[in-house]
Amino acid sequence: MMTVHHVPAAGTTLTVHTAGAGRPLVLLHGFPLDHRMWESQTALADHVRLIVPDLRGFGGSAAAVATSMEQLADDVAALLAALHVTTPAVICGLSMGGYVAQHLAVRHPDRVAALVLVDTKLEADTPDARAARADLAAKVGRLGQGILADAMIPRLLAGSAAARGLPHRAAVEETLRRTILEQPVASIQAALGALGSRPDMTEAMRHVRVPTLLIAGAEDAITPPECLERAEEIMPCTRLLIVPHAGHMTPLETPAVFNAAVLEFLRHPPGTLGGAVPPA
Ligand code: MLT
């Protein structure tokens, strides 16, 4: 059972769902979703204090729109302060949430004990990808959120016959569609702009030395596993897991594998077994 909080952040109020006690684990959702994408991770609250915000512009935090990944990271720092979280947290982010987690690690290192970066990347958009986001924002303005759901859902989920045959596949599609249709058009358009203008984090992440788990869906069509393979090469203290039968939504598509990997990482983070974290 999650408790709902409404907490202040610069110029707005954010909705945050929490459950459990102990070590804080923050789950940051992808675009264009909200806290509901983490429903299958609620069981993790038996082990940690789960903190699951709706990022600015989405879900219960839609009173303001997102203008940059930096702003969303500052929001996470603000909500942790508002919730009186005094110890550094484990920050887990999927895709856009992963971009936010990286900025949090760089801008607010005192807030971050460890990272879980899921179906995401360090690099910025190419000029073509940025132009495609601008086109999509204009289309959503003309035609509404349905066009976004239609365009994104087939790319969010793994396409192989084995993945399409997973018993919960229809329920996952339904959750994604419902969630996308409920996000305000202005929020979607603003976030597409913020995603398109996000900086390349490759150099900055070379210096982030907290234990980091990288999780990639083997069939991710949006941020293919090579993105996190590149991150593994440059970040000092990482472990990479590539999950079969998962696309860009690994925590929803393969929740048992995902949850077990996170719990194992919390018990034995890289750098604590089999070698020390290299000196800064
Ligand atoms: C997401 O899942 O958050 C988006 O696909 C991120 C992106 O488009 O870069």
Side-chain angles (χ1 to χ4, degrees), residues 31 57-58 62 64-66 137 140-141 145 183-193:
F31 167 87
F58 298 94
V65 300
V140 172
Q145 299 91 328
Q183 308 309 322
V185 167
S187 295
I188 291 168
Q189 292 178 314
L192 283 166

Side-chain angles (χ1 to χ4, degrees), residues 64-113:
V65 300
T67 56
S68 68
M69 296 302 116
E70 289 88 337
Q71 175 198 48
L72 295 179
D74 291 351
D75 282 352
V76 176
L79 73 87
L80 288 171
L83 293 173
H84 308 293
V85 175
T86 51
T87 53
V90 180
I91 309 292
C92 169
L94 178 133
S95 198
M96 178 178 78
Y99 310 149
V100 176
Q102 294 168 51
H103 282 282
L104 189 73
V106 170
R107 292 169 75 80
H108 303 277
D110 51 319
R111 285 284 173 203
V112 182

